[in-house]
Amino acid sequence: MTAARMRGGKWKKVGQQDSAYASRMRCGMLSAMPQKFTLPTPVEDLAAQALSLPSEDRAKLVERLIASFEPRSAAQAAWLQLARSRRDDVHSGKVAMVPGDEALARVRARIA
């Protein structure tokens, strides 16, 4: 039987100096890969990339990830649209934010 092994993407006959190596490979005395060969998981790679993003982009990513766990419904879509519309109004300067204490005082004054 002629021993062969892969070299450079092609199978080649094992030469005289390689015959002992080929015998050990067939007997399982050598392994083709190092014993402790590990690659980072895709999740670790993604986390590293996400953490390197600017804070605004990280916030958008978190929103999308959280949304992926929630069921889709017409009510959810309507609330999401309203929230985005209000956010856009604040960002564009169309409306101004009011501190929480002042907002509560206004509400209490209306219902009193």
Side-chain angles (χ1 to χ4, degrees):
M1 175 168 26
T2 304
R5 85 174 149 171
M6 191 79 150
R7 281 193 187 156
K10 296 182 180 179
W11 285 99
K12 296 187 177 187
K13 289 183 180 178
V14 177
Q16 286 292 84
Q17 71 269 14
D18 292 334
S19 62
Y21 175 84
S23 295
R24 289 192 302 266
M25 283 295 291
R26 282 194 304 273
C27 296
M29 294 171 65
L30 295 175
S31 66
M33 296 286 291
Q35 294 296 326
K36 291 189 176 188
F37 183 74
T38 58
L39 290 175
T41 64
V43 172
E44 290 170 349
D45 290 342
L46 287 172
Q49 290 176 9
L51 291 172
S52 70
L53 294 172
S55 60
E56 188 173 316
D57 291 341
R58 288 195 317 266
K60 288 177 186 176
L61 179 59
V62 167
E63 287 176 5
R64 292 184 67 181
L65 289 172
I66 290 172
S68 72
F69 288 104
E70 298 174 356
R72 302 282 178 198
S73 69
Q76 179 192 22
W79 278 112
L80 186 58
Q81 180 59 37
L82 179 62
R84 286 181 177 153
S85 173
R86 289 183 177 175
R87 179 200 61 200
D88 293 342
D89 288 346
V90 170
H91 284 221
S92 69
K94 188 175 181 180
V95 297
M97 305 242 338
V98 177
D101 293 339
E102 185 181 334
L104 288 174
R106 288 181 186 182
V107 170
R108 287 185 182 119
R110 284 187 183 174
I111 59 175

